[in-house]
Amino acid sequence: MAKINLNINGKTKEVDVDPNTPILWVLRDHLDLVGTKYGCGIAQCGACTVIMDGNAIRSCSTPVSSAEGAKITTIEGLSENGDHPVQKAWMEHDVPQCGYCQAGQVMSAVALLESNPNPSEEDIDNAMNGNICRCGTYLRIKKAIKTAANS
Amino acid sequence: MTIIKTKLNRRSFLKVSALAGGGMVLSFSWLAGCQPSPEQEKLGLPDEWFELNSYIKIGDNGLVTLFSPNPEFGSNVKTSMPMILADELDMDWKKVIVEQADFFPERYERQFTGGSQGIRLGWNPLRTAGAAVKYLLVAAAAQTWEVPAEEISTSGGIIRHEGSGKKAHYGEMAALAATLEVPEEIKLLKEIKDFNIIGTSRKNVDGSKIVTGKPMFTMDYKKEGMLIAMIIHPPAFGMKLKSFEAESVKSMPGIKDVFSFKVHKEDYEQNAFDTTTHPELVAIVGNSTWEVLQAKRKLKADWEKSPEREFVMAGWGGNKSTVKVPAGLENTEKHKASMEAHSKRKARELRKDGNPAAAFSRAAKVLERTYTAPFLAHNCMEPVNCFAHVTADQAELYGPIQAPEFVSNTLSERLGLPKEKIHIKLARMGGGFGQRAYGHHMVEAAVISQKVGAPIKMIYTREDDMTYGIYRPTYTATYRAAIDEEGKLTAIHIKAGGIPETPIAPNRFPAGAVDNYLAEGWEIASNITIGAFRAPRSNFIASAEQSFLDELAEELGKDPIDFRLELLDRAKNNPVGNNNDYDPERYAGVLKLVREKSFWDSPRQGIHRGVSAYFCHNSYVAEILDLRMEDNKPVIENVIAAVDCGIVINPDAAANMGEGAIVDGIGNAFFGELPFNDGVPQKSNFNDYKMIRMSEAPRKIEVHFVKNDHDPTGLGEPLFPPVFAAISNALYKATGQRFYQQPFQPQLEMMEQEIKVGQS
Ligand code: FES
Ligand code: FES
């Protein structure tokens, strides 16, 4: 066990956990931030995507010790009222089916648009290929990203 | 105007004053029609709610809560079912709140989402429930204003009497309406042309919660004092637990308990949704997921071969049968060999028309082709999990479950608690696809909670989930066609089976369209468990049938759509045999629509097209898939689907479902496969089980609906089965090779290799 200081969604949090604990489980079990999802645990599905210092990372495979001093944004921290342009575009295109993968999809999309405000079709494919949607909402995700990029 | 007998829907009209018992109503949802700020949400709440029936609650300020009875796994029933209620109620969608009802059999008819039947079977009960409440509100207004009910009109949640100029919102009449009786017959169902919510696109009522990461899934559920539990199941089918060293992990940080348990009691009679792959499991319970995961990885357990076992299965109508589970460690190579052998043997006759044997012996030419498909895992994005809190006198469960009714019986027996003491909340599910029809995880969680005497949340790892069973079976189908000297089709013979079931639906097309027809089935027992998987059986037999018809059309020198239409014409005008369970006209309708929408008659350079059609779950679908070869790899440009599922409730959401089913089909056709070696599933996570990703999805999908006034039918499944053959038929056009074995990717890679070798 070790005390670790985290900066999550602009707030400082201290947790006392095994430093090897993946960020995912610290968020979900210790900080009650359950928007970030578990899908595979091995960095293959993207359900657990959060943004750490501007990059989309797989929180299931990143130990919490490596987050000390970094800024983490989770789905809960994107906006106060669900009005981040990416969230709005997601609702406009009514993207989700079951919804389970969508927090991860939204976070990957936000990270993409932050580094590349006008992504091409291929840029979108590349950035989003790490996020599986079992319900097959890929076409709507793509449309929503384009809408968000234009807004 | 239709007269409806309310007696038929007795349960929908029961007024149960206490809402589903202590704290069972889930958190307040946002208004369905718009996304209000928290401020509006507060303002909108009434002081008092009046319950008009099981589905509808009206607040004194006119706000209406509609309960969505069926579990939601992504097919959007939580939006579309309340839309049906709201339309008959003449309610303004913007003033509606939607809540997920708990499992409550005394109040709701059928709380089962699966088989694409939610809307089809909910249609009449929901319309009736909406219309009946409107009736009560009008009656209350008539009484209050002392005017005849016939002179009163309603719209958008407002009641009006033209003559006197009186008007009130529903909330003002709700108190009185709640005291009135529903007559046995009412004449209030709307005319289809008067629908103003049904048939218009409405956003997912949970959309904003999903994109803001609100807790909605069982996985997100938490309760004071809750512990985390994980299971360990045998590594192979055909193995069972021998021993384990609890002590080796008990002292690890956060670990509370380690024990083994039986999923069912010894003499328990299973029902069809009780699939328990492994009768005994090991449980590890602790404080946090990561701690339990560490212990799970470290725990030493020994396994041994399981002998043949059997259990009693209680079937429909009180029929009991004994099911034998064979011993042995199975593998895919042997499966293939035994399926091949079975294909050559005589099989069970399922349907025979005319004299197929004579037609084949007279044939000038026989076309025979065999198709195969592997086991598939569901791989819902939310791994299996369940919350349970079992105390001495009751059980509270919250879990992803498509069919709560079945599991509530099982739970009651296993826990020794009466059924009324089992409270099941219906969580939003992170995917279902058939897997969540089976409630083993709820039983497991409940047993664990009972043992440790605490609320627990049991979580499967992805590996547990993928290797637990309940798979789509593996299948083989051999199609034969007899062609006479004039080049006319005279007979079709299908022989199909699988492990452990046959995929044939013997009365479906092309039965009824061919003079001489024979369908035979066979099956091979196995200890690998199977379950419903998006359009069970249809998902394979459609691919075999529609690939075969494509090849047959070519053999006969006909356009593949014309050929199908000719067969359907025959089935319509002069059907062969009895019990043909499809409507040839509606079937032909989707083929004609897809031909028109795809400009089938004007092919484009470099685009290879495959067509396919199928009827299942009461709906008709035809699809055309366009692909282009890029560096000898297929790129799917467009998929055009034509669907006849009757009245479409929520068109944009329906299109979304259709797009998803098509993407799912493409993924499984190219990549889906779960092989076995010595009983061990050879894939256990997404690093080796390839799922379709964005770059492999089609560039475009168009879903066109046939417009008609038929009652709505299935939508979640019917678009899935035709995709497979649309791909194989397009691949044939692109490569000159037929694809008989799913998944298609290995054959494509081999071809690519050959081309490379040829070029170098
Ligand atoms: S849960 Fe982290 S990538 Fe799948
Ligand atoms: S919406 Fe269900 S997995 Fe993506």
PDB file of all heavy atoms in Angstrom, chain B residues 313-341:
ATOM      1  N   MET B 313     -34.125 -32.011 -17.144  1.00  0.00           N
ATOM      2  CA  MET B 313     -34.536 -30.726 -17.702  1.00  0.00           C
ATOM      3  C   MET B 313     -36.061 -30.676 -17.712  1.00  0.00           C
ATOM      4  O   MET B 313     -36.707 -31.540 -18.285  1.00  0.00           O
ATOM      5  CB  MET B 313     -34.000 -30.632 -19.135  1.00  0.00           C
ATOM      6  CG  MET B 313     -34.407 -29.397 -19.855  1.00  0.00           C
ATOM      7  SD  MET B 313     -33.262 -28.082 -19.502  1.00  0.00           S
ATOM      8  CE  MET B 313     -32.518 -27.901 -21.099  1.00  0.00           C
ATOM      9  N   ALA B 314     -36.595 -29.662 -17.051  1.00  0.00           N
ATOM     10  CA  ALA B 314     -38.037 -29.483 -17.075  1.00  0.00           C
ATOM     11  C   ALA B 314     -38.379 -28.642 -18.285  1.00  0.00           C
ATOM     12  O   ALA B 314     -37.985 -27.480 -18.374  1.00  0.00           O
ATOM     13  CB  ALA B 314     -38.497 -28.799 -15.789  1.00  0.00           C
ATOM     14  N   GLY B 315     -39.087 -29.228 -19.239  1.00  0.00           N
ATOM     15  CA  GLY B 315     -39.380 -28.524 -20.490  1.00  0.00           C
ATOM     16  C   GLY B 315     -40.713 -27.820 -20.425  1.00  0.00           C
ATOM     17  O   GLY B 315     -41.361 -27.756 -19.382  1.00  0.00           O
ATOM     18  N   TRP B 316     -41.158 -27.285 -21.553  1.00  0.00           N
ATOM     19  CA  TRP B 316     -42.451 -26.610 -21.627  1.00  0.00           C
ATOM     20  C   TRP B 316     -43.553 -27.614 -21.370  1.00  0.00           C
ATOM     21  O   TRP B 316     -43.448 -28.775 -21.720  1.00  0.00           O
ATOM     22  CB  TRP B 316     -42.640 -25.952 -22.996  1.00  0.00           C
ATOM     23  CG  TRP B 316     -41.484 -25.130 -23.427  1.00  0.00           C
ATOM     24  CD1 TRP B 316     -40.694 -25.351 -24.518  1.00  0.00           C
ATOM     25  CD2 TRP B 316     -40.961 -23.957 -22.792  1.00  0.00           C
ATOM     26  NE1 TRP B 316     -39.710 -24.395 -24.589  1.00  0.00           N
ATOM     27  CE2 TRP B 316     -39.853 -23.531 -23.555  1.00  0.00           C
ATOM     28  CE3 TRP B 316     -41.310 -23.239 -21.647  1.00  0.00           C
ATOM     29  CZ2 TRP B 316     -39.099 -22.410 -23.210  1.00  0.00           C
ATOM     30  CZ3 TRP B 316     -40.553 -22.114 -21.309  1.00  0.00           C
ATOM     31  CH2 TRP B 316     -39.473 -21.712 -22.084  1.00  0.00           C
ATOM     32  N   GLY B 317     -44.614 -27.163 -20.763  1.00  0.00           N
ATOM     33  CA  GLY B 317     -45.797 -28.000 -20.555  1.00  0.00           C
ATOM     34  C   GLY B 317     -45.546 -29.183 -19.643  1.00  0.00           C
ATOM     35  O   GLY B 317     -46.195 -30.217 -19.757  1.00  0.00           O
ATOM     36  N   GLY B 318     -44.594 -29.056 -18.737  1.00  0.00           N
ATOM     37  CA  GLY B 318     -44.368 -30.103 -17.745  1.00  0.00           C
ATOM     38  C   GLY B 318     -43.615 -31.320 -18.253  1.00  0.00           C
ATOM     39  O   GLY B 318     -43.454 -32.304 -17.534  1.00  0.00           O
ATOM     40  N   ASN B 319     -43.166 -31.275 -19.500  1.00  0.00           N
ATOM     41  CA  ASN B 319     -42.386 -32.411 -20.014  1.00  0.00           C
ATOM     42  C   ASN B 319     -40.997 -32.417 -19.408  1.00  0.00           C
ATOM     43  O   ASN B 319     -40.338 -31.382 -19.372  1.00  0.00           O
ATOM     44  CB  ASN B 319     -42.229 -32.314 -21.538  1.00  0.00           C
ATOM     45  CG  ASN B 319     -43.561 -32.471 -22.220  1.00  0.00           C
ATOM     46  OD1 ASN B 319     -44.427 -33.171 -21.731  1.00  0.00           O
ATOM     47  ND2 ASN B 319     -43.718 -31.789 -23.337  1.00  0.00           N
ATOM     48  N   LYS B 320     -40.568 -33.578 -18.987  1.00  0.00           N
ATOM     49  CA  LYS B 320     -39.216 -33.669 -18.429  1.00  0.00           C
ATOM     50  C   LYS B 320     -38.364 -34.542 -19.321  1.00  0.00           C
ATOM     51  O   LYS B 320     -38.839 -35.507 -19.901  1.00  0.00           O
ATOM     52  CB  LYS B 320     -39.274 -34.301 -17.046  1.00  0.00           C
ATOM     53  CG  LYS B 320     -39.721 -33.340 -15.994  1.00  0.00           C
ATOM     54  CD  LYS B 320     -39.715 -33.985 -14.642  1.00  0.00           C
ATOM     55  CE  LYS B 320     -40.561 -33.138 -13.709  1.00  0.00           C
ATOM     56  NZ  LYS B 320     -40.778 -33.780 -12.424  1.00  0.00           N
ATOM     57  N   SER B 321     -37.101 -34.207 -19.395  1.00  0.00           N
ATOM     58  CA  SER B 321     -36.202 -35.073 -20.144  1.00  0.00           C
ATOM     59  C   SER B 321     -34.872 -35.135 -19.404  1.00  0.00           C
ATOM     60  O   SER B 321     -34.535 -34.236 -18.634  1.00  0.00           O
ATOM     61  CB  SER B 321     -35.993 -34.537 -21.553  1.00  0.00           C
ATOM     62  OG  SER B 321     -35.491 -33.220 -21.474  1.00  0.00           O
ATOM     63  N   THR B 322     -34.142 -36.213 -19.648  1.00  0.00           N
ATOM     64  CA  THR B 322     -32.831 -36.323 -19.031  1.00  0.00           C
ATOM     65  C   THR B 322     -31.788 -35.941 -20.069  1.00  0.00           C
ATOM     66  O   THR B 322     -31.778 -36.473 -21.182  1.00  0.00           O
ATOM     67  CB  THR B 322     -32.585 -37.763 -18.553  1.00  0.00           C
ATOM     68  OG1 THR B 322     -33.630 -38.084 -17.632  1.00  0.00           O
ATOM     69  CG2 THR B 322     -31.257 -37.881 -17.845  1.00  0.00           C
ATOM     70  N   VAL B 323     -30.961 -34.980 -19.714  1.00  0.00           N
ATOM     71  CA  VAL B 323     -29.942 -34.517 -20.642  1.00  0.00           C
ATOM     72  C   VAL B 323     -28.601 -35.122 -20.233  1.00  0.00           C
ATOM     73  O   VAL B 323     -28.205 -35.021 -19.076  1.00  0.00           O
ATOM     74  CB  VAL B 323     -29.847 -32.976 -20.619  1.00  0.00           C
ATOM     75  CG1 VAL B 323     -28.800 -32.482 -21.596  1.00  0.00           C
ATOM     76  CG2 VAL B 323     -31.201 -32.348 -20.909  1.00  0.00           C
ATOM     77  N   LYS B 324     -27.965 -35.748 -21.201  1.00  0.00           N
ATOM     78  CA  LYS B 324     -26.651 -36.336 -20.918  1.00  0.00           C
ATOM     79  C   LYS B 324     -25.559 -35.371 -21.370  1.00  0.00           C
ATOM     80  O   LYS B 324     -25.594 -34.845 -22.472  1.00  0.00           O
ATOM     81  CB  LYS B 324     -26.489 -37.635 -21.709  1.00  0.00           C
ATOM     82  CG  LYS B 324     -27.052 -38.855 -21.006  1.00  0.00           C
ATOM     83  CD  LYS B 324     -26.459 -40.111 -21.663  1.00  0.00           C
ATOM     84  CE  LYS B 324     -26.856 -41.400 -20.962  1.00  0.00           C
ATOM     85  NZ  LYS B 324     -28.178 -41.528 -20.419  1.00  0.00           N
ATOM     86  N   VAL B 325     -24.590 -35.154 -20.495  1.00  0.00           N
ATOM     87  CA  VAL B 325     -23.439 -34.340 -20.878  1.00  0.00           C
ATOM     88  C   VAL B 325     -22.268 -35.304 -21.057  1.00  0.00           C
ATOM     89  O   VAL B 325     -21.820 -35.920 -20.095  1.00  0.00           O
ATOM     90  CB  VAL B 325     -23.105 -33.308 -19.784  1.00  0.00           C
ATOM     91  CG1 VAL B 325     -21.938 -32.442 -20.209  1.00  0.00           C
ATOM     92  CG2 VAL B 325     -24.327 -32.472 -19.438  1.00  0.00           C
ATOM     93  N   PRO B 326     -21.787 -35.463 -22.296  1.00  0.00           N
ATOM     94  CA  PRO B 326     -20.741 -36.460 -22.516  1.00  0.00           C
ATOM     95  C   PRO B 326     -19.431 -36.107 -21.823  1.00  0.00           C
ATOM     96  O   PRO B 326     -19.160 -34.938 -21.549  1.00  0.00           O
ATOM     97  CB  PRO B 326     -20.570 -36.475 -24.033  1.00  0.00           C
ATOM     98  CG  PRO B 326     -21.202 -35.248 -24.532  1.00  0.00           C
ATOM     99  CD  PRO B 326     -22.182 -34.772 -23.516  1.00  0.00           C
ATOM    100  N   ALA B 327     -18.641 -37.122 -21.557  1.00  0.00           N
ATOM    101  CA  ALA B 327     -17.296 -36.895 -21.022  1.00  0.00           C
ATOM    102  C   ALA B 327     -16.351 -36.622 -22.181  1.00  0.00           C
ATOM    103  O   ALA B 327     -16.721 -36.791 -23.340  1.00  0.00           O
ATOM    104  CB  ALA B 327     -16.849 -38.128 -20.258  1.00  0.00           C
ATOM    105  N   GLY B 328     -15.142 -36.189 -21.872  1.00  0.00           N
ATOM    106  CA  GLY B 328     -14.135 -36.063 -22.924  1.00  0.00           C
ATOM    107  C   GLY B 328     -13.680 -34.643 -23.147  1.00  0.00           C
ATOM    108  O   GLY B 328     -14.374 -33.694 -22.809  1.00  0.00           O
ATOM    109  N   LEU B 329     -12.470 -34.531 -23.692  1.00  0.00           N
ATOM    110  CA  LEU B 329     -11.907 -33.223 -24.003  1.00  0.00           C
ATOM    111  C   LEU B 329     -11.957 -33.071 -25.513  1.00  0.00           C
ATOM    112  O   LEU B 329     -11.277 -33.775 -26.244  1.00  0.00           O
ATOM    113  CB  LEU B 329     -10.469 -33.149 -23.486  1.00  0.00           C
ATOM    114  CG  LEU B 329     -10.309 -33.438 -21.983  1.00  0.00           C
ATOM    115  CD1 LEU B 329      -8.831 -33.373 -21.577  1.00  0.00           C
ATOM    116  CD2 LEU B 329     -11.127 -32.457 -21.141  1.00  0.00           C
ATOM    117  N   GLU B 330     -12.795 -32.158 -25.966  1.00  0.00           N
ATOM    118  CA  GLU B 330     -13.069 -32.082 -27.399  1.00  0.00           C
ATOM    119  C   GLU B 330     -12.116 -31.134 -28.110  1.00  0.00           C
ATOM    120  O   GLU B 330     -11.543 -30.248 -27.486  1.00  0.00           O
ATOM    121  CB  GLU B 330     -14.518 -31.620 -27.591  1.00  0.00           C
ATOM    122  CG  GLU B 330     -15.490 -32.567 -26.904  1.00  0.00           C
ATOM    123  CD  GLU B 330     -16.948 -32.137 -27.066  1.00  0.00           C
ATOM    124  OE1 GLU B 330     -17.243 -31.312 -27.948  1.00  0.00           O
ATOM    125  OE2 GLU B 330     -17.788 -32.658 -26.303  1.00  0.00           O
ATOM    126  N   ASN B 331     -11.958 -31.369 -29.394  1.00  0.00           N
ATOM    127  CA  ASN B 331     -11.212 -30.370 -30.158  1.00  0.00           C
ATOM    128  C   ASN B 331     -11.744 -30.159 -31.556  1.00  0.00           C
ATOM    129  O   ASN B 331     -12.477 -30.982 -32.105  1.00  0.00           O
ATOM    130  CB  ASN B 331      -9.706 -30.639 -30.121  1.00  0.00           C
ATOM    131  CG  ASN B 331      -9.355 -31.875 -30.877  1.00  0.00           C
ATOM    132  OD1 ASN B 331      -9.632 -31.958 -32.064  1.00  0.00           O
ATOM    133  ND2 ASN B 331      -8.802 -32.861 -30.168  1.00  0.00           N
ATOM    134  N   THR B 332     -11.407 -29.013 -32.100  1.00  0.00           N
ATOM    135  CA  THR B 332     -12.025 -28.543 -33.339  1.00  0.00           C
ATOM    136  C   THR B 332     -11.742 -29.468 -34.524  1.00  0.00           C
ATOM    137  O   THR B 332     -12.616 -29.699 -35.344  1.00  0.00           O
ATOM    138  CB  THR B 332     -11.544 -27.102 -33.615  1.00  0.00           C
ATOM    139  OG1 THR B 332     -12.013 -26.303 -32.539  1.00  0.00           O
ATOM    140  CG2 THR B 332     -12.089 -26.562 -34.909  1.00  0.00           C
ATOM    141  N   GLU B 333     -10.526 -30.010 -34.588  1.00  0.00           N
ATOM    142  CA  GLU B 333     -10.233 -30.899 -35.713  1.00  0.00           C
ATOM    143  C   GLU B 333     -11.164 -32.099 -35.707  1.00  0.00           C
ATOM    144  O   GLU B 333     -11.715 -32.495 -36.730  1.00  0.00           O
ATOM    145  CB  GLU B 333      -8.759 -31.343 -35.676  1.00  0.00           C
ATOM    146  CG  GLU B 333      -7.788 -30.253 -36.121  1.00  0.00           C
ATOM    147  CD  GLU B 333      -8.288 -29.492 -37.355  1.00  0.00           C
ATOM    148  OE1 GLU B 333      -8.626 -30.154 -38.366  1.00  0.00           O
ATOM    149  OE2 GLU B 333      -8.350 -28.236 -37.308  1.00  0.00           O
ATOM    150  N   LYS B 334     -11.360 -32.670 -34.511  1.00  0.00           N
ATOM    151  CA  LYS B 334     -12.256 -33.827 -34.410  1.00  0.00           C
ATOM    152  C   LYS B 334     -13.708 -33.422 -34.691  1.00  0.00           C
ATOM    153  O   LYS B 334     -14.449 -34.179 -35.303  1.00  0.00           O
ATOM    154  CB  LYS B 334     -12.148 -34.469 -33.027  1.00  0.00           C
ATOM    155  CG  LYS B 334     -10.935 -35.372 -32.917  1.00  0.00           C
ATOM    156  CD  LYS B 334     -11.070 -36.329 -31.751  1.00  0.00           C
ATOM    157  CE  LYS B 334      -9.699 -36.883 -31.385  1.00  0.00           C
ATOM    158  NZ  LYS B 334      -9.408 -36.784 -29.962  1.00  0.00           N
ATOM    159  N   HIS B 335     -14.082 -32.253 -34.230  1.00  0.00           N
ATOM    160  CA  HIS B 335     -15.436 -31.776 -34.529  1.00  0.00           C
ATOM    161  C   HIS B 335     -15.653 -31.758 -36.034  1.00  0.00           C
ATOM    162  O   HIS B 335     -16.673 -32.214 -36.539  1.00  0.00           O
ATOM    163  CB  HIS B 335     -15.633 -30.343 -34.015  1.00  0.00           C
ATOM    164  CG  HIS B 335     -15.871 -30.264 -32.533  1.00  0.00           C
ATOM    165  ND1 HIS B 335     -15.687 -29.099 -31.829  1.00  0.00           N
ATOM    166  CD2 HIS B 335     -16.261 -31.190 -31.629  1.00  0.00           C
ATOM    167  CE1 HIS B 335     -15.967 -29.314 -30.555  1.00  0.00           C
ATOM    168  NE2 HIS B 335     -16.313 -30.572 -30.401  1.00  0.00           N
ATOM    169  N   LYS B 336     -14.674 -31.232 -36.737  1.00  0.00           N
ATOM    170  CA  LYS B 336     -14.826 -31.105 -38.200  1.00  0.00           C
ATOM    171  C   LYS B 336     -14.987 -32.483 -38.829  1.00  0.00           C
ATOM    172  O   LYS B 336     -15.848 -32.695 -39.686  1.00  0.00           O
ATOM    173  CB  LYS B 336     -13.609 -30.398 -38.800  1.00  0.00           C
ATOM    174  CG  LYS B 336     -13.658 -28.898 -38.579  1.00  0.00           C
ATOM    175  CD  LYS B 336     -12.511 -28.203 -39.306  1.00  0.00           C
ATOM    176  CE  LYS B 336     -12.566 -26.704 -39.047  1.00  0.00           C
ATOM    177  NZ  LYS B 336     -11.270 -26.041 -39.267  1.00  0.00           N
ATOM    178  N   ALA B 337     -14.141 -33.429 -38.375  1.00  0.00           N
ATOM    179  CA  ALA B 337     -14.195 -34.766 -38.953  1.00  0.00           C
ATOM    180  C   ALA B 337     -15.534 -35.434 -38.656  1.00  0.00           C
ATOM    181  O   ALA B 337     -16.148 -36.042 -39.544  1.00  0.00           O
ATOM    182  CB  ALA B 337     -13.042 -35.610 -38.417  1.00  0.00           C
ATOM    183  N   SER B 338     -16.019 -35.286 -37.435  1.00  0.00           N
ATOM    184  CA  SER B 338     -17.278 -35.983 -37.141  1.00  0.00           C
ATOM    185  C   SER B 338     -18.453 -35.298 -37.813  1.00  0.00           C
ATOM    186  O   SER B 338     -19.420 -35.947 -38.215  1.00  0.00           O
ATOM    187  CB  SER B 338     -17.494 -36.155 -35.628  1.00  0.00           C
ATOM    188  OG  SER B 338     -17.502 -34.914 -35.003  1.00  0.00           O
ATOM    189  N   MET B 339     -18.376 -34.005 -38.008  1.00  0.00           N
ATOM    190  CA  MET B 339     -19.466 -33.338 -38.738  1.00  0.00           C
ATOM    191  C   MET B 339     -19.469 -33.778 -40.203  1.00  0.00           C
ATOM    192  O   MET B 339     -20.521 -33.990 -40.801  1.00  0.00           O
ATOM    193  CB  MET B 339     -19.347 -31.816 -38.623  1.00  0.00           C
ATOM    194  CG  MET B 339     -19.644 -31.319 -37.205  1.00  0.00           C
ATOM    195  SD  MET B 339     -20.252 -29.627 -37.138  1.00  0.00           S
ATOM    196  CE  MET B 339     -18.843 -28.720 -37.662  1.00  0.00           C
ATOM    197  N   GLU B 340     -18.283 -33.945 -40.752  1.00  0.00           N
ATOM    198  CA  GLU B 340     -18.201 -34.393 -42.144  1.00  0.00           C
ATOM    199  C   GLU B 340     -18.806 -35.791 -42.285  1.00  0.00           C
ATOM    200  O   GLU B 340     -19.569 -36.060 -43.211  1.00  0.00           O
ATOM    201  CB  GLU B 340     -16.732 -34.393 -42.572  1.00  0.00           C
ATOM    202  CG  GLU B 340     -16.561 -34.076 -44.035  1.00  0.00           C
ATOM    203  CD  GLU B 340     -15.107 -34.175 -44.452  1.00  0.00           C
ATOM    204  OE1 GLU B 340     -14.272 -33.494 -43.807  1.00  0.00           O
ATOM    205  OE2 GLU B 340     -14.819 -34.941 -45.379  1.00  0.00           O
ATOM    206  N   ALA B 341     -18.473 -36.643 -41.318  1.00  0.00           N
ATOM    207  CA  ALA B 341     -19.010 -38.002 -41.361  1.00  0.00           C
ATOM    208  C   ALA B 341     -20.535 -37.990 -41.247  1.00  0.00           C
ATOM    209  O   ALA B 341     -21.229 -38.687 -41.995  1.00  0.00           O
ATOM    210  CB  ALA B 341     -18.393 -38.839 -40.244  1.00  0.00           C
TER     211      ALA B 341
END
